[in-house]
Amino acid sequence: MRGLRPLVTAAGLLLLWQAVVWATGVQRFILPGPAAVGKALWGRRDLLALHAAVTAAEVAIGIVLGCLTGVLMALLLAAFAPLRRWLLPVLVMSQALPVFALAPLLVLWLGYGMASKVAVAVLIIFFPVTSAFYDGLKRTEPGWIELARVMGAKPGAILRRIRVPAALPAFASGLRVAAVYAPIGAVIGEWVGSSRGLGFLMLHANGRMQTDLMFAAVVVLAALSLGLYALIDRLGRRLLRWQPETLAV
Amino acid sequence: MADALRLRVDRLDYGGEALFRDLVLDLPKGRWTALIGGSGVGKTTLLRAAAGLVPGVEGLGPAALMAQSDLLLPWLDVEANVLLGPRLRGGVTPDLRAKAADLIERVGLGDARKRLPAELSGGMRQRAALARTLLEDRPLVLMDEPFSALDAITRHRVQDLAAELLDGRTVLLVTHSPPEALRLAHRLLLLEGRPVRLRPLDVPASPTPRRADDPALLRRQGQLLEALAGEGDKGRATCAA
């Protein structure tokens, strides 16, 4: 029953949506009903799949690159104190800068292709991943580090064998945030300028009053994001089975 | 003392106070030395200094550390935790693996070898930490209230096990528990004052681990508790009342 609850809620919302459409007789280019959206989803599945594949690729590359750079930056910050003093304040300040405002610039520099969308996604992901992982590295139980030092471990071994594994749960929560933000970044990039992707399809359909297709694109995007989140969440739980919280589940 | 490890702390301040001044701590080889004193008196700092963890103080060289919390890494199973030292130094040999298996058996965790720390009871975890300490095979073992988080019966059993397995080693045991110090120590030092002085106290002559109902132990336990309670101002006020 518990697993069914969200499905029941969703079905109820869909019914409400259809009821509003019937009751108000609103025109379909303003608000298409779920049936019309379903029809567009099925009827234009080839088109949707084509654009979804582009967006999915941008998101995947964005997550991989964003995580790599974020992890690297966190490791550098944790390992070198001088770097920390010079870089950390700048890094924190840079977060006041809305990445979305940079999207037009990135498109100007990197072109209409995938590169600019990947760049927006990377920029959005970079900070949450860096700060989550760095926080985890910094908060290693001091007793573990002292024990390792008494055992004669070098700082490199302590980082690799103790601090990094201990920071993985923090990294996993950064990764979950990244999974939520990456699709947003890619779509924003596509809105600013592109010829492919779900964001492009949405603008295109909007301009032609094909509101049902636009809704269909949103549904596909939502499914993509949810799938990505579920995948990353499951992966995290699998790798971090030693965590007491996940052990209890 | 001829055959002893000697720790010297010329000066060490803590919170603007003179904690140690020209302090000399001798640890007779092959014997257990217990440090006892109220909380905040400097026992743990002295042990950390011996471990080489206090900047500006030269430690006593290679040592194995057993702390109040077991410090088991939650992502490693018992066996991997016991092998942590070699793993960190980059050399887990088949010999060491065999030795770890033997030690795990001897602390009574044979069946739990592949289990994660979260799946063990407090007593089992501390026994795993004991096996890890023994695998290090260092000339000096430093123990910082290693049994204080255990219930009374488990504590008694793990004390017996530690006394048996660490027999003949040079051990520095920090504790706030008079019965623990009196059961396990060959030599007992009371820490008091600022800067800290070390006052040697008598321990029963019988071999360790001493029985908890040893009359000599019980008598000294009472004296020791009175000495500890009378040490601070608060303690004196309670006595006067």
Side-chain angles (χ1 to χ4, degrees):
Chain A
M1 186 60 210
R2 266 183 69 186
L4 287 177
R5 261 180 226 156
L7 288 179
V8 172
T9 310
L13 286 173
L14 284 178
L15 273 177
L16 187 70
W17 176 8
Q18 188 70 62
V20 168
V21 171
W22 277 331
T24 58
V26 65
Q27 280 176 299
R28 44 175 303 163
F29 66 86
I30 301 289
L31 180 65
V37 172
K39 224 173 102 191
L41 261 176
W42 182 251
R44 313 294 293 274
R45 58 185 183 278
D46 292 344
L47 184 75
L48 283 164
L50 187 83
H51 289 285
V54 173
T55 303
E58 290 162 359
V59 168
I61 299 172
I63 285 192
V64 170
L65 288 181
C67 285
L68 280 179
T69 48
V71 163
L72 202 69
M73 178 58 83
L75 284 173
L76 286 172
L77 287 174
F80 303 109
L83 202 68
R84 191 152 64 227
R85 281 194 290 276
W86 287 95
L87 227 53
L88 203 57
V90 180
L91 208 66
V92 172
M93 274 193 296
S94 77
Q95 274 315 286
L97 212 73
V99 177
F100 301 133
L102 293 179
L105 264 182
L106 290 169
V107 172
L108 178 71
W109 290 339
L110 300 172
Y112 268 47
M114 264 195 194
S116 53
K117 287 75 191 171
V118 169
V120 178
V122 167
L123 277 181
I124 293 184
I125 293 168
F126 174 74
F127 190 78
V129 169
T130 305
S131 76
F133 192 43
Y134 172 67
D135 251 21
L137 288 172
K138 208 174 50 178
R139 272 188 221 159
T140 318
E141 153 78 52
W144 292 342
I145 294 175
E146 292 198 333
L147 178 72
R149 278 172 60 194
V150 174
M151 283 173 163
K154 296 195 170 63
I158 295 180
L159 185 66
R160 202 172 37 151
R161 300 256 182 213
I162 295 183
R163 294 178 70 191
V164 167
L168 284 183
F171 171 70
S173 44
L175 199 58
R176 277 193 281 267
V177 173
V180 173
Y181 283 160
I184 301 178
V187 168
I188 299 267
E190 287 167 0
W191 282 350
V192 171
S194 66
S195 51
R196 289 189 304 167
L198 287 173
F200 164 77
L201 186 65
M202 282 161 74
L203 281 190
H204 189 79
N206 203 23
R208 281 170 175 62
M209 297 279 187
Q210 295 172 334
T211 315
D212 50 353
L213 182 60
M214 201 187 126
F215 268 86
V218 172
V219 170
V220 173
L221 184 67
L224 199 82
S225 299
L226 278 174
L228 184 70
Y229 185 85
L231 183 79
I232 283 179
D233 191 52
R234 179 167 287 199
L235 206 73
R237 278 171 199 276
R238 223 188 143 81
L239 290 176
L240 299 171
R241 255 179 310 187
W242 51 268
Q243 261 190 299
E245 308 93 89
T246 47
L247 210 70
V249 175
Chain B
M1 219 166 292
D3 213 18
L5 296 169
R6 171 164 284 193
L7 177 73
R8 287 171 180 283
V9 187
D10 295 337
R11 65 177 289 144
L12 190 72
D13 293 345
Y14 186 77
E17 258 188 320
L19 183 58
F20 302 139
R21 286 285 182 276
D22 302 314
L23 185 99
V24 175
L25 171 66
D26 282 318
L27 304 175
K29 284 190 180 163
R31 312 291 270 172
W32 287 53
T33 303
L35 298 180
I36 197 164
S39 19
V41 76
K43 306 185 293 287
T44 295
T45 308
L46 195 52
L47 177 126
R48 285 165 45 85
L53 291 169
V54 174
V57 182
E58 198 181 335
L60 287 174
L65 179 68
M66 196 171 167
Q68 180 172 10
S69 108
D70 52 68
L71 298 179
L72 298 176
L73 299 179
W75 57 90
L76 297 179
D77 62 22
V78 168
E79 188 177 42
N81 261 299
V82 170
L83 283 163
L84 181 67
R87 183 182 275 268
L88 281 169
R89 293 184 293 268
V92 181
T93 60
D95 269 7
L96 283 166
R97 255 178 219 292
K99 197 178 155 196
D102 176 53
L103 284 171
I104 291 167
E105 205 65 54
R106 277 164 70 189
V107 299
L109 290 177
D111 295 333
R113 207 161 52 92
K114 288 290 170 198
R115 275 157 74 180
L116 292 176
E119 302 168 298
L120 306 178
S121 69
M124 292 166 92
R125 293 170 63 112
Q126 210 50 273
R127 279 186 279 155
L130 181 61
R132 182 187 60 201
T133 309
L134 289 164
L135 187 90
E136 284 299 280
D137 206 12
R138 298 294 178 93
L140 172 65
V141 177
L142 302 169
M143 303 177 112
D144 188 4
E145 300 187 10
F147 315 118
S148 59
L150 304 175
D151 67 86
I153 296 158
T154 311
R155 185 188 312 139
H156 191 88
R157 290 194 185 124
V158 181
Q159 281 171 353
D160 283 348
L161 187 67
E164 180 200 327
L165 295 174
L166 288 169
D167 187 37
R169 305 220 186 199
T170 313
V171 175
L172 176 62
L173 171 72
V174 160
T175 180
H176 56 227
S177 149
E180 179 165 287
L182 290 166
R183 286 200 71 210
L184 298 173
H186 302 104
R187 201 159 157 266
L188 179 55
L189 298 169
L190 176 70
L191 273 71
E192 53 185 3
R194 281 288 186 272
V196 167
R197 278 164 298 130
L198 301 175
R199 175 146 64 102
L201 298 174
D202 284 342
V203 291
S206 47
T208 58
R210 299 180 185 100
R211 288 180 58 93
D213 55 3
D214 182 330
L217 183 147
L218 286 172
R219 196 172 56 249
R220 286 199 172 81
Q221 187 177 319
Q223 292 165 353
L224 185 50
L225 201 55
E226 291 298 339
L228 282 167
E231 188 195 335
D233 286 328
K234 214 194 289 178
R236 265 192 291 278
T238 323
C239 286

